[in-house]
Amino acid sequence: MTMLSTFIKPMHREGYRFVGIFAAVTLILFLIWQPLGWIGVCLTVWCYYFFRDPDRVTPVREGLIISPADGVVQMIGKFAPPEELGLGTEPMTRVAVFMNVFNCHVNRAPIAGRIEKIAYRPGKFLNASLDKASVDNERNGLTIRMDDGRAIGVVQIAGLVARRIVCEVNEGQAINTGERFGMIRFGSRLDIYLPEGVSPLVAIGQSTVAGETVLADLTSQESPRAGAVR
């Protein structure tokens, strides 16, 4: 790792158009008034930063469920999964990860398996931090079926500012843990529905890194973890 690579990261292809627009507007702002141009420079850098797509080192031990998103664990509880995922009506443990506009927004598969179902549902654009956003907001859900027959649900939820959910995989496709499957623009949330009997190994308020942070372990009998601010 070099000093340059610490700050300069690859960019998701969704970002090229937006960075180009920001850069063009910045040139116009410089022609109007130089201080406005420097504000444009800052916004262009932020736009690039938003669409960054760095490589991640994913734990590969069998049974590990990895965070699909950068952000903060906002909610953990028992909720019925969206009906379109085909996971039944019984409550499942749901871990909600909230992403703000400064997080990397590329989403990654929490577990290896086959994508059994992809279900898009239009909806509202409420603040993604609200609990009812999981029901009312526009969303796109994936059901990933593991080799042992169990399934995990992953739901991309649009937010107050986010207006586009990008899904880059297809039904029937095999996917590996940590593999990219999409992103959301700009600020949003991901819900992860864990199989029965699996407890989360993260706590509310904990920061997560997509493709790296362990959310749960299918082979563990450990009780749910609590967190404390230090």
Side-chain angles (χ1 to χ4, degrees), residues 50-63:
F50 177 88
F51 285 102
R52 68 194 184 280
D53 184 14
D55 291 328
R56 297 286 166 81
V57 179
T58 300
V60 292
R61 179 171 65 75
E62 186 176 355

Side-chain angles (χ1 to χ4, degrees), residues 15-39:
Y16 289 110
R17 175 164 56 96
F18 287 92
V19 171
I21 293 172
F22 273 67
V25 171
T26 296
L27 291 175
I28 295 172
L29 291 176
F30 267 118
L31 294 174
I32 297 173
W33 190 37
Q34 191 172 28
L36 286 178
W38 286 112
I39 293 174

Side-chain angles (χ1 to χ4, degrees), residues 46 50 98-103 105 126 128 157-163 184-189:
W46 167 79
F50 177 88
F98 178 76
M99 299 180 287
N100 64 38
V101 295
F102 297 104
N103 290 128
H105 273 57
L126 303 175
I157 301 174
L160 185 65
V161 181
R163 296 287 163 155
I184 317 176
R185 306 192 310 242
F186 287 90
S188 40
R189 172 176 142 196

Side-chain angles (χ1 to χ4, degrees), residues 58-107:
T58 300
V60 292
R61 179 171 65 75
E62 186 176 355
L64 294 182
I65 299 174
I66 308 301
S67 176
D70 286 18
V72 175
V73 178
Q74 185 183 52
M75 289 176 276
I76 297 175
K78 290 280 190 178
F79 299 89
E83 60 181 1
E84 65 266 19
L85 294 183
L87 294 174
T89 58
E90 292 298 315
M92 301 174 68
T93 298
R94 186 185 75 191
V95 179
V97 177
F98 178 76
M99 299 180 287
N100 64 38
V101 295
F102 297 104
N103 290 128
C104 174
H105 273 57
V106 175
N107 304 142

